[in-house]
């Protein structure tokens, strides 16, 4: 695949079509991830979605966005769980 190490924007012009919502979200995350690989020279990558208001496209995009936020929250919780915790300081009585 292509790694876009100089990219600063990801633009979605229509919702990702896939057999399931999970697959559609995975495709969008992969597209975003291609700009966030090792070697990226830019500190921030912007994601833009162009959506026509009051259409089926908007409904699909809103479902995808909710699933993306849910997936990100789950990943953040898992990452926090895997981080080594500092040992708690307990007073030692002598």
């Amino acid at each position: 695949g292509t790694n876009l190490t100089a990219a600063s924007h990801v633009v979605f012009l229509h919702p990702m079509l896939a057999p399931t919502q999970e697959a559609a979200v995975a495709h969008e995350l992969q597209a975003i991830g291609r700009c966030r690989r090792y070697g990226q020279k830019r500190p921030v990558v912007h994601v833009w979605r162009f959506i026509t208001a009051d259409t089926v496209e908007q409904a699909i995009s809103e479902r995808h966005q909710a699933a993306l936020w849910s997936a990100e929250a789950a990943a953040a919780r898992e990452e926090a769980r895997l981080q080594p915790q500092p040992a708690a300081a307990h007073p030692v009585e002598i």
Side-chain angles (χ1 to χ4, degrees):
T2 303
N3 292 330
L4 306 172
T5 57
S8 62
H9 292 79
V10 176
V11 178
F12 292 106
L13 299 176
H14 58 81
M16 194 62 65
L17 298 177
T20 65
Q21 181 171 331
E22 292 80 15
V25 169
H27 291 314
E28 287 189 6
L29 288 174
Q30 181 182 30
I32 295 166
R34 289 186 184 274
C35 290
R36 295 302 309 155
R37 303 290 169 124
Y38 293 110
Q40 172 58 272
K41 311 238 184 320
R42 301 186 187 268
V44 176
V45 172
H46 301 278
V47 178
W48 298 87
R49 285 182 173 78
F50 292 94
I51 301 167
T52 305
D54 301 322
T55 62
V56 172
E57 177 184 52
Q58 181 180 4
I60 292 170
S61 292
E62 287 171 353
R63 283 196 304 268
H64 288 182
Q65 193 64 34
L68 278 168
W69 283 108
S70 178
E72 279 194 24
R77 283 192 302 274
E78 181 65 16
E79 185 175 323
R81 187 183 70 78
L82 296 176
Q83 292 295 321
Q85 300 298 318
H90 297 290
V92 177
E93 292 183 29
I94 299 178

